[in-house]
Amino acid sequence: MTHYIFDLDGTLLNTLRAHYETLYLLCLMKSKKKISISDIALCNLPDLRKTLDAISEQFDLSINVGEYQTEFLKHISKVSLNITAKELAILKSIDKSNLILFTGRDMCTTQLLLNRFLPDIFLKVISSDQCEKPLVPTELKKMTDLKIYIGDCRSDLEISQKLHATFFNINKEVQRTELFAKLQQEQYL
């Protein structure tokens, strides 16, 4: 059996616009300094805590993760699928016991995003409430079956290495094509 472990933000969902708007509005509300959306674009979005720390330091303000998540939910309409309808259909056809979601988001926000964009796909969801990335959950480490990790950034690659999993970068077209061809074969096994 092969386990497919997916990241969420930037991999299955495009949340960049929602992140930028959330950060921009929080900075506007809290900062005494003038800020533009391009200032936010310079920050390191793949790691929320580092991004919040950098913005807090740069603009002399304090934003905690809870505040951020609450504001992010107000911008959920800016989130979109990062996979095609055909790729989504392939995911839906796979045995759910083979699909795992491992995200740096809290469970509440994760479930809200899954219910809206990817309902009934993942049987197992691991959020930041259970294990903070880049740490690796013990239950994933214990899996002896073949593991394929699908992500979009360096931290996802590092996690896949810790898991001894094959890594596919969803944003590299050749890897993406190969991944979905492999998943399509999986539905016939």
Side-chain angles (χ1 to χ4, degrees):
M1 179 193 305
T2 302
H3 293 284
Y4 295 89
I5 305 164
F6 285 84
D7 172 52
L8 185 61
D9 290 53
T11 301
L12 295 172
L13 296 179
N14 180 349
T15 55
L16 207 51
R17 194 165 158 215
H19 282 300
Y20 283 147
E21 288 193 20
T22 299
L23 288 168
Y24 177 66
L25 289 172
L26 282 170
C27 288
L28 279 178
M29 289 188 289
K30 293 177 160 254
S31 181
K32 295 173 183 96
K33 295 181 181 180
K34 187 176 177 184
I35 186 169
S36 71
I37 200 81
S38 61
D39 294 325
I40 300 299
L42 297 174
C43 295
N44 178 25
L45 280 176
D47 185 320
L48 180 58
R49 281 181 175 61
K50 286 180 184 173
T51 300
L52 294 178
D53 289 346
I55 287 174
S56 295
E57 188 176 312
Q58 184 177 351
F59 298 105
D60 192 30
L61 52 91
S62 175
I63 302 171
N64 69 45
V65 174
E67 270 180 307
Y68 178 84
Q69 296 290 19
T70 300
E71 188 64 30
F72 178 85
L73 292 176
K74 296 176 187 173
H75 301 279
I76 201 167
S77 64
K78 304 295 193 273
V79 173
S80 60
L81 278 172
N82 200 36
I83 57 176
T84 66
K86 181 181 177 185
E87 291 167 340
L88 179 59
I90 291 169
L91 275 182
K92 287 180 175 181
S93 71
I94 305 297
D95 179 355
K96 288 181 194 179
S97 65
N98 295 350
L99 300 175
I100 300 166
L101 184 74
F102 179 35
T103 179
R105 287 200 166 279
D106 66 288
M107 187 58 87
C108 181
T109 308
T110 298
Q111 286 301 334
L112 196 124
L113 289 167
L114 289 176
N115 290 342
R116 182 167 180 162
F117 296 100
L118 301 159
D120 303 320
I121 292 181
F122 296 97
L123 191 62
K124 179 71 179 160
V125 176
I126 303 168
S127 72
S128 63
D129 299 336
Q130 293 123 318
C131 183
E132 284 285 338
K133 284 183 168 182
L135 299 175
V136 178
T138 306
E139 63 191 287
L140 294 183
K141 285 183 192 175
K142 287 181 180 178
M143 289 178 172
T144 56
D145 296 329
L146 181 63
K147 295 178 281 264
I148 295 179
Y149 193 99
I150 303 95
D152 69 313
C153 63
R154 179 138 190 86
S155 65
D156 290 327
L157 172 62
E158 291 167 3
I159 291 167
S160 75
Q161 291 167 340
K162 291 175 188 175
L163 288 170
H164 306 288
T166 303
F167 179 72
F168 283 89
N169 185 328
I170 198 83
N171 294 321
K172 295 198 175 172
E173 197 55 43
V174 171
Q175 290 185 27
R176 183 186 195 115
T177 302
E178 185 182 340
L179 168 69
F180 280 96
K182 191 178 219 28
L183 283 166
Q184 203 161 18
Q185 289 174 354
E186 183 83 24
Q187 68 186 336
Y188 299 112
L189 297 178

